[in-house]
Amino acid sequence: MEEENKEVVTPQVEESTENTAAHEASEMNREEVELEKADAEYTATNIQVLEGLEAVRKRPGMYIGTTSSAGLHHLVWEIVDNAIDEALAGYCTEVTVTINEGDTITVSDNGRGIPIDTVAKTGLSGVETVYTILHAGGKFGEGGGYKVSGGLHGVGASVVNALSEWLDVYVHKDGGIYYIRFENGGHAVDRLKKVGTCTDTGTIVTFKPDPTIFVENTVYDYEIIRDRLKQVAYLNRGIKINVYDKREGKAAENHFCFEGGIKEYVESINKNKEPLFEEVIYCEGKEPITLASGTEAHIYAEVAMQYNDEYSANIFSFCNNVHTHEGGTHEEGFRMAITRVINAYARQTKMLKDNEDNLTYSDVTEGLTAIISVKHPNPQFEGQTKTKLGNFEVRKTLSQIVGTQLDRFLMENPKLAKQIVEKILMAANARLAARKAREEVRRKGTLELTTLPGKLADCSSKNPEVCELYIVEGNSAGGSAKEGRNRETQAILPLRGKILNVEKAQAKRIFANAEIGNMITAIGGGIDPEFDVSKIRYHKIVIMTDADVDGSHIRILLLTFFYRFMRPLIEQGYIYIAQPPLYKVEYHGKQYYAYSDDQLETIKKHLNLKAGYPFQRYKGLGEMDPSQLWETTMDPDRRKMLRVSLDDAIQAEQVFTDLMGDNVEPRKEFIHNNAKFVKNLDI
Ligand code: 1YM
C-alpha cells in the first residue's frame, strides 16, 4: 500500500486555532524567516493598498458619482454585482440583501465563495485583494468568465470598502468559514482567518457606510433597493433574489425569481394595457468577440417585445443590467432590424402596396413594449449621463439576431403577423393624417404658429433662463395670478376645465385640441418627434392646480402630456408643481399659512392658540386674492415648489398607463394610494 501523503498543504491563510504540533528547531527557524518575509511583503502591499483607498475617500464622487442618497445605494449595487456575476458564471442561484438595524447592509450569495488563497501579484488573500485593490474585479484566478454586471461605474468592491466605517467578509469554501474585517475606510484589522467549518459555499458581506463620507444621509430606502433588485431579477432569469428590511418599525421582505426573464418583464409593463395578442416575441443570441487582451469572449443579446392597443412606444434598453437611458448601438441595431423586417414582410404579403412609402420606425413601434438587454465584456458607456452604449459591433449583433428571429416569427405565425402589420398600417395612416392636419394649420396662415395664444399673459423678459410659465387651473385663479405675478419674469396661461387625455387620444385629435395647442405655442419648442428643448421660452414651467381631486387629475393629465410629447422637459427638470397653502390662520392682524396638516398644528402650538380657534381652509386657488397668491405660491423668495424628476422612466411609464389608460381598477387603486406618485417628485 502506498504510504499516505503526510505533507500537509499549508493553508494560504492563517489558522486561528493554535498549532500544537512540535517542530524541530531548524524547521521553526525556517518558518519564522518565511513568515517575516511574508510580513514584509504584506506590509509593502498594504501601504500601496491604503494609498489607493485613500484616493477613493478623497474623491468619492469620481468613483460613485455622488455621496448623496444615490451614492449610498450605489454601494449596495457594487456588492450585489459581484454576486450576480457569480450567478451569471453559473455557480450561484440565490442572492440575499438585508438592510439591518443601524442601516448596515448584508449581501450574501451561494456561489463558490471569493478565492481565499494567496494571489501571487499582491501577496494577499483573494478576498483581501478584491476588497483592497482598486479594479481588482478582474480575474486573477484561473480562466473563465468576465465581469458583466454593473457597467455604469463598475468600480468594484474595494470602493465600497474604502467608503465604509467597517466591512466584514465571510467566505464559505472548501469546508471552512473564513473571515476578514476592515475598519476606517478599508484597513484590514487582521488577515483572513479560518473561523469555523461548514458544508456549504458562498460569500457574505456586511458593511456600514462611513457617515463622514455620506454626510447628507446614511438611511437606506427599502423601496429603492427592492425595485432595483426586482429589475435585476427580471434581467437575469432564474436567479432568486431575496430582500429584507430588518429595521425596527420597517419590517418588510420580498422574493423575486423570474424564470421567464425579460419576457415576464415585458408582460409586467403591459400588465394594465390590453395586449394585441398573448405571445411575447423573443429573440436571443450571442456573438464571439476578441478582447484587446486577446481573450475570446461573447456578446450576449436578448430582446422581448409585445404589442398593446395603445399609441406610444415603450422601448427600454440595458447593457450589463444598467438601464441605458440614452440608448446607443443596441437600440440602433434593433431599430434597423425591426423596420427592415416589417417592411419586407408587409411588401411581400402585399399588405403594403408597391406605390406606398415605407413604414417608419415610429409606425412599427406604435404600441410596442420592448426590452433590449445586452451583456458585453467591455462596454463603452457614452453620452451626457454615461448611459448610451457606444460599442459599434453591438449594432450588427442586434440587427442580425432580431432580423432573423423576428422574420422567422412572422413566417411561422401568419395570423399574428397579419394583426401586427394591420396595426402598423393604421399607425402609418394616422401619421399621414396628422401630418396633413399640421400642414393644414400651417397653410391657414403662418400667423397661427408665431402668434402667442390670446389667453397667455406673457412676461416681458425674453431670456428663457429667468422666465417662468404658470399653467393655472381655471380662469378665476388665472385672473388672480395675472394680477399678482411679477410681470417681467412670470407668464400666466389659464386652462379652462380639463385638458384632453393624450393617453387615449390619437395624434390627430391631440393637435386639434385648443388647450394643448395653446401650451405648445406658448412653450415654443414644438412637440415630439421634433421637440427642441433649446427653443423653449421658459426654463420653469409651473403647474398650478387646486389642492383637490380635480386639481390632481388635471396635474396628471398635464404631466402625461409633457411625458409623451415633450419628455426632455421632464428629463431635464424644467417642470414644477406649485404648492399653494392649505390653511390660513389670522392672529393679531398677522397671517400665517400652512402647507400641510402638520404645519397647521405647529403654527397653532407656536401661537398658543386654544382649541377651536378659527382658521381658513383653502378649497381652491380662486379663494386667494392676487396678493395672497403672490405671497404664498408665486413669490420666488417665499414659495415652495416640487420639481418633477424622471428617475425611473419604467416606473413612470407604469404610473401613466395606470392612471390614464382604459383600465379602471389601477386608477382606483392609485387614488387610494396617491403617495406613490409623489415618489416620482423631488422636493
Ligand atoms: C456578496 C458578494 O462577491 N461573490 C463572489 C465573488 C467572486 C467569486 C464568487 C469568484 C469568482 C471567481 C472564482 C472567478 C469573486 N471573485 C473575484 C476574484 N458576493 C461575491 N463569488 N471564484 C470565486 O471569477 O474566477 C472577484 S469577485 F477576482 F477573486 F476572482
Side-chain angles (χ1 to χ4, degrees):
M1 212 181 165
E2 220 178 313
E3 213 196 270
E4 220 185 298
N5 187 355
K6 286 219 186 85
E7 207 186 294
V8 181
V9 179
T10 330
Q12 306 287 321
V13 292
E14 286 180 20
E15 295 265 352
S16 62
T17 44
E18 203 139 330
N19 188 349
T20 50
H23 289 277
E24 280 179 42
S26 59
E27 276 250 290
M28 266 182 90
N29 279 341
R30 209 188 73 217
E31 273 194 359
E32 264 170 21
V33 171
E34 291 215 328
L35 266 177
E36 262 170 31
K37 212 175 99 200
D39 276 347
E41 257 175 38
Y42 182 81
T43 313
T45 316
N46 243 4
I47 291 167
Q48 287 171 358
V49 158
L50 294 174
E51 281 171 357
L53 296 188
E54 199 45 42
V56 178
R57 290 176 64 80
K58 275 209 184 104
R59 298 181 169 203
M62 291 242 311
Y63 298 86
I64 57 166
T66 155
T67 52
S68 67
S69 171
L72 184 73
H73 290 81
H74 189 92
L75 303 185
V76 182
W77 318 145
E78 282 299 335
I79 304 298
V80 168
D81 280 351
N82 285 343
I84 297 294
D85 274 341
E86 181 68 355
L88 291 175
Y91 298 102
C92 155
T93 57
E94 193 163 343
V95 178
T96 301
V97 177
T98 308
I99 310 176
N100 307 301
E101 195 64 71
D103 287 275
T104 68
I105 296 283
T106 301
V107 183
S108 66
D109 69 50
N110 64 350
R112 290 167 290 179
I114 302 177
I116 50 173
D117 33 37
T118 307
V119 176
K121 249 191 180 164
T122 62
L124 307 174
S125 67
V127 182
E128 196 172 343
T129 306
V130 170
Y131 273 84
T132 55
I133 311 264
L134 291 180
H135 304 291
K139 304 301 89 167
F140 45 76
E142 64 297 338
Y146 54 80
K147 191 170 169 56
V148 295
S149 53
L152 190 46
H153 294 285
V155 287
S158 57
V159 167
V160 179
N161 196 14
L163 302 177
S164 291
E165 191 178 301
W166 53 261
L167 183 145
D168 286 336
V169 186
Y170 287 88
V171 172
H172 290 213
K173 203 176 173 79
D174 306 334
I177 300 176
Y178 299 87
Y179 169 68
I180 185 166
R181 182 179 175 86
F182 304 91
E183 287 180 2
N184 288 324
H187 298 68
V189 172
D190 202 344
R191 289 193 233 175
L192 188 74
K193 282 207 159 76
K194 185 172 175 188
V195 294
T197 58
C198 63
T199 53
D200 60 350
T201 64
T203 305
I204 306 152
V205 175
T206 302
F207 63 91
K208 181 181 196 303
D210 189 336
T212 66
I213 302 271
F214 299 93
V215 282
E216 217 176 280
N217 170 29
T218 47
V219 180
Y220 276 102
D221 183 330
Y222 181 75
E223 291 183 13
I224 291 178
I225 294 180
R226 178 201 62 197
D227 292 348
R228 167 66 184 153
L229 292 177
K230 185 175 183 184
Q231 184 174 65
V232 169
Y234 274 126
L235 292 169
N236 302 280
R237 68 173 164 239
I239 304 181
K240 178 153 197 235
I241 303 184
N242 309 298
V243 201
Y244 295 93
D245 194 338
K246 294 273 169 72
R247 291 171 297 186
E248 204 183 311
K250 293 191 177 176
E253 64 183 89
N254 286 91
H255 307 273
F256 305 115
C257 182
F258 303 107
E259 293 299 342
I262 60 169
K263 275 198 246 180
E264 278 188 68
Y265 202 177
V266 163
E267 283 170 338
S268 84
I269 296 170
N270 272 349
K271 182 182 71 195
N272 293 321
K273 306 177 201 261
E274 206 56 58
L276 195 63
F277 47 79
E278 289 298 308
E279 277 89 339
V280 176
I281 305 170
Y282 179 74
C283 314
E284 163 186 47
K286 59 182 183 179
E287 193 73 41
I289 180 173
T290 311
L291 301 178
S293 60
T295 333
E296 295 293 329
H298 282 98
I299 306 168
Y300 173 76
E302 52 174 346
V303 175
M305 49 190 158
Q306 188 183 45
Y307 282 96
N308 59 59
D309 69 344
E310 292 181 4
Y311 301 104
S312 49
N314 289 296
I315 319 272
F316 302 111
S317 65
F318 297 84
C319 178
N320 296 359
N321 298 328
V322 172
H323 184 185
T324 34
H325 292 267
E326 298 170 279
T329 48
H330 49 350
E331 280 194 26
E332 289 163 20
F334 168 79
R335 172 193 283 252
M336 283 157 53
I338 188 172
T339 316
R340 181 180 73 231
V341 168
I342 302 260
N343 269 297
Y345 185 85
R347 294 229 182 259
Q348 205 180 313
T349 53
K350 303 281 180 231
M351 292 176 81
L352 186 65
K353 305 281 176 311
D354 288 345
N355 62 350
E356 286 175 318
D357 282 347
N358 260 355
L359 304 163
T360 66
Y361 178 67
S362 94
D363 296 335
V364 302
T365 53
E366 189 175 289
L368 182 70
T369 299
I371 299 280
I372 302 165
S373 174
V374 173
K375 306 265 165 64
H376 197 291
N378 181 30
Q380 304 299 315
F381 290 101
E382 303 172 345
Q384 268 193 335
T385 54
K386 291 267 172 282
T387 56
K388 180 173 183 181
L389 186 63
N391 305 67
F392 73 95
E393 70 282 356
V394 173
R395 197 178 294 124
K396 199 165 141 212
T397 308
L398 260 291
S399 175
Q400 274 173 359
I401 291 170
V402 176
T404 14
Q405 297 180 34
L406 177 60
D407 188 50
R408 187 182 317 146
F409 177 88
L410 298 176
M411 295 300 172
E412 289 173 356
N413 300 277
K415 250 177 78 185
L416 304 183
K418 185 158 177 265
Q419 269 178 280
I420 295 176
V421 176
E422 274 167 1
K423 178 186 168 68
I424 293 171
L425 288 172
M426 264 166 52
N429 286 335
R431 170 174 55 85
L432 294 173
R435 185 160 69 185
K436 261 199 197 138
R438 260 184 292 181
E439 277 165 5
E440 187 84 354
V441 171
R442 234 168 257 160
R443 233 175 341 101
K444 270 197 215 150
T446 40
L447 269 182
E448 269 171 276
L449 277 178
T450 46
T451 309
L452 293 168
K455 291 171 66 177
L456 174 77
D458 208 5
C459 50
S460 57
S461 167
K462 294 288 167 250
N463 173 8
E465 280 173 30
V466 301
C467 291
E468 304 177 348
L469 174 67
Y470 274 77
I471 300 176
V472 186
E473 170 186 0
N475 284 332
S476 91
S480 294
K482 280 180 192 179
E483 250 180 81
R485 69 182 168 140
N486 171 347
R487 282 163 193 271
E488 196 192 328
T489 56
Q490 295 180 321
I492 311 292
L493 180 66
L495 283 185
R496 183 174 35 88
K498 295 214 167 145
I499 74 154
L500 185 73
N501 180 354
V502 296
E503 202 70 8
K504 286 201 206 161
Q506 264 195 308
K508 213 165 80 180
R509 275 187 58 215
I510 296 170
F511 299 132
N513 182 273
E515 302 289 321
I516 286 184
N518 285 345
M519 273 194 296
I520 298 172
T521 336
I523 292 169
I527 55 165
D528 189 60
E530 286 115 29
F531 182 72
D532 183 353
V533 78
S534 72
K535 294 218 176 94
I536 60 172
R537 304 175 56 245
Y538 314 92
H539 279 193
K540 286 200 173 75
I541 295 168
V542 188
I543 300 173
M544 186 155 79
T545 60
D546 292 340
D548 58 11
V549 176
D550 273 352
S552 60
H553 192 209
I554 293 173
R555 186 166 71 215
I556 299 281
L557 289 167
L558 286 168
L559 287 172
T560 312
F561 169 72
F562 292 131
Y563 181 73
R564 292 288 178 224
F565 292 98
M566 303 183 183
R567 195 169 300 183
L569 288 185
I570 302 188
E571 286 168 346
Q572 295 175 32
Y574 291 126
I575 306 282
Y576 294 81
I577 292 174
Q579 296 290 289
L582 298 176
Y583 307 102
K584 182 177 76 174
V585 180
E586 284 199 334
Y587 184 70
H588 286 316
K590 273 182 91 175
Q591 291 155 347
Y592 300 84
Y593 296 100
Y595 295 84
S596 67
D597 290 340
D598 281 351
Q599 221 176 4
L600 178 65
E601 289 314 308
T602 313
I603 290 170
K604 283 182 182 169
K605 221 182 264 163
H606 185 77
L607 299 175
N608 241 333
L609 302 181
K610 287 198 196 73
Y613 188 91
F615 59 86
Q616 185 181 356
R617 183 190 185 94
Y618 287 118
K619 291 199 201 68
L621 296 163
E623 289 179 30
M624 272 182 270
D625 63 35
S627 67
Q628 284 175 331
L629 196 58
W630 163 255
E631 272 173 36
T632 60
T633 319
M634 296 176 70
D635 178 2
D637 293 334
R638 283 178 283 185
R639 72 186 172 194
K640 255 177 72 156
M641 298 203 296
L642 300 177
R643 181 189 232 172
V644 179
S645 76
L646 239 198
D647 283 342
D648 189 336
I650 303 177
Q651 228 161 341
E653 168 57 35
Q654 196 85 60
V655 172
F656 285 122
T657 2
D658 285 1
L659 287 173
M660 298 292 128
D662 292 325
N663 286 352
V664 181
E665 255 332 289
R667 190 151 53 232
K668 272 198 196 145
E669 205 176 291
F670 177 83
I671 289 165
H672 277 284
N673 181 18
N674 213 329
K676 218 172 165 185
F677 184 71
V678 177
K679 261 215 62 188
N680 287 312
L681 308 175
D682 264 346
I683 300 173

